[in-house]
Amino acid sequence: MHLFPTPRAPVGSHYPGGVNLADSAFLRACRRQPVPHTPVWFMRQAGRSLPEYLKVREGVPMLTACATPDLIVEITMQPVRRYGVDAAIFFSDIVVPLKAIGVDLDIKPGVGPVVADPIRDAEGLDVLRPLEPGDVSYVTESIRALTAELGGTPLIGFAGAPFTLGSYLIEGGPSKNHDRTKAMMYGEPRLWHELMERLSGIVTEHLRIQIEAGASAVQLFDSWVGAVAPDDYREFILPHTRRIFDSVAGVPRIHFGVGTGELLGVLGEAGADVVGVDWRVPLDEAARRVGPGKALQGNLDPAILLAPWEVVERKAREVLRRGEAAEGHVFNLGHGVLPSTDPDQLKRLTDLVHEHGR
């Protein structure tokens, strides 16, 4: 097994109070190094299932919250305090960099991102100018404050992948089948690749800004790429994803999408150190599909947390058992925490993973 050496001063790792973040269980697992226990964090842990989150977000629009440093810091810290997870995830949204460069969009409750003027032709690309650090100064300010407060807990920065962002821009909002997106991809490949190139540049800069501010790892969310066949992924998406990961080397990079069981092999080729797996594929089978040289993240079905604790415990132990087939394993859900999840279930699950995975 090829292991990452433990770096003395890795990019994105800081030493507040003399703490070496590179020795954290989360970063060690991402680098496929021995760990004292299986690390765990939860996608959407900073958010809607927590009463303290609902309290501070009351009356505050999502994109306003994502641009307010005090709120960002507080919401990011809430699950770390409550659950004792091994990593914090930066509170934001994948459309934040698009909003920052002037795209006319909003996040509508119960709907998701809605774009006022969808991109359907070459002229529509003009709105996608390069992202500059000054466009998201609140991100830098928030991450610097968070790294000081988190101490030995790593902070994960993130961004949306070009396909998923592109789908929102083309469709004008969430889409069940991504019909217009695929129509452009297949019917206007030159326009498609130009769109992907512009989005790749924006995403890369957004991740760099977070890393330079102090994020210890980054995750690329390609939430809807499971709608694409493997051969189409290779032709229309892989070159752009690979460009992003190649441009942010130096910290552990995580790649995640929903419904990507048939894509796990090609996702493993995109350049990430960790491949996120949703709940549809057991981790031992996922390890086989992804291939050697990668850690895995996942993959308890979020809906299981709505069941009685004995069910959660049994299913979590199965995930941990199957995760032993991976060269490194970060326990997580197969997608985000559901709004109706009891926070006590997540606390018990965190404790179980830490104890079982020692």
Side-chain angles (χ1 to χ4, degrees), residues 43 94 158-168 178 181 185 192 196 199-200 203 219-228 232-233 236-242 244-245 254-261 263 266-267 270 276 278 334-335:
M43 288 182 282
I94 63 172
F158 74 90
F163 177 86
T164 294
L165 292 178
S167 180
Y168 284 126
H178 310 279
T181 305
M185 187 175 74
W192 171 263
M196 292 295 99
L199 288 173
S200 296
V203 169
Q219 176 158 312
L220 189 67
F221 284 90
D222 212 346
S223 304
W224 310 135
V225 79
V228 175
D232 293 330
Y233 185 95
F236 294 108
I237 301 166
L238 179 60
H240 306 286
T241 310
R242 186 175 280 151
I244 293 169
F245 283 129
I254 308 168
H255 196 189
F256 173 75
V258 182
T260 53
L263 298 177
V266 68
L267 291 183
D278 76 5
H335 200 196

Side-chain angles (χ1 to χ4, degrees), residues 35-278:
V35 292
H37 62 265
T38 302
V40 52
W41 70 279
F42 305 110
M43 288 182 282
R44 290 184 182 154
Q45 66 185 14
R48 50 198 184 167
S49 68
L50 290 175
E52 55 264 44
Y53 168 80
L54 298 175
K55 183 177 180 180
V56 299
R57 270 292 316 280
E58 188 173 0
V60 182
M62 180 64 176
L63 287 174
T64 301
C66 292
T68 307
D70 288 349
L71 274 178
I72 294 171
V73 173
E74 170 59 22
I75 294 169
T76 301
M77 290 299 303
Q78 286 174 350
V80 178
R81 300 186 197 115
R82 182 184 275 262
Y83 304 136
V85 287
D86 294 279
I89 177 76
F90 185 66
F91 174 73
S92 189
D93 190 274
I94 63 172
V95 300
V96 161
L98 299 181
K99 182 72 172 180
I101 62 171
V103 176
D104 188 356
L105 60 81
D106 196 9
I107 299 177
K108 295 191 175 180
V111 178
V114 176
V115 179
D117 299 306
I119 294 177
R120 305 277 169 80
D121 52 34
E123 186 176 337
L125 297 177
D126 291 342
V127 70
L128 298 179
R129 68 167 176 81
L131 180 73
E132 299 176 0
D135 296 323
V136 288
S137 57
Y138 46 84
V139 170
T140 298
E141 180 182 344
S142 302
I143 289 178
R144 286 175 176 167
L146 278 165
T147 53
E149 189 165 343
L150 282 165
T153 302
L155 176 66
I156 304 169
F158 74 90
F163 177 86
T164 294
L165 292 178
S167 180
Y168 284 126
L169 291 171
I170 296 166
E171 305 286 346
S175 171
K176 184 176 181 180
N177 298 313
H178 310 279
D179 299 333
R180 290 181 180 272
T181 305
K182 290 184 175 183
M184 182 188 292
M185 187 175 74
Y186 293 132
E188 301 181 78
R190 182 176 296 181
L191 177 61
W192 171 263
H193 283 294
E194 176 63 23
L195 173 62
M196 292 295 99
E197 286 178 9
R198 293 200 185 202
L199 288 173
S200 296
I202 293 166
V203 169
T204 297
E205 183 61 21
H206 191 48
L207 292 175
R208 283 176 177 162
I209 289 168
Q210 293 174 76
I211 292 167
E212 289 173 4
S216 297
V218 291
Q219 176 158 312
L220 189 67
F221 284 90
D222 212 346
S223 304
W224 310 135
V225 79
V228 175
D231 286 348
D232 293 330
Y233 185 95
R234 287 184 184 279
E235 180 179 355
F236 294 108
I237 301 166
L238 179 60
H240 306 286
T241 310
R242 186 175 280 151
R243 171 189 165 195
I244 293 169
F245 283 129
D246 287 348
S247 299
V248 295
V251 300
R253 300 153 296 176
I254 308 168
H255 196 189
F256 173 75
V258 182
T260 53
E262 296 301 319
L263 298 177
L264 287 174
V266 68
L267 291 183
E269 299 173 19
D273 307 295
V274 185
V275 176
V277 185
D278 76 5

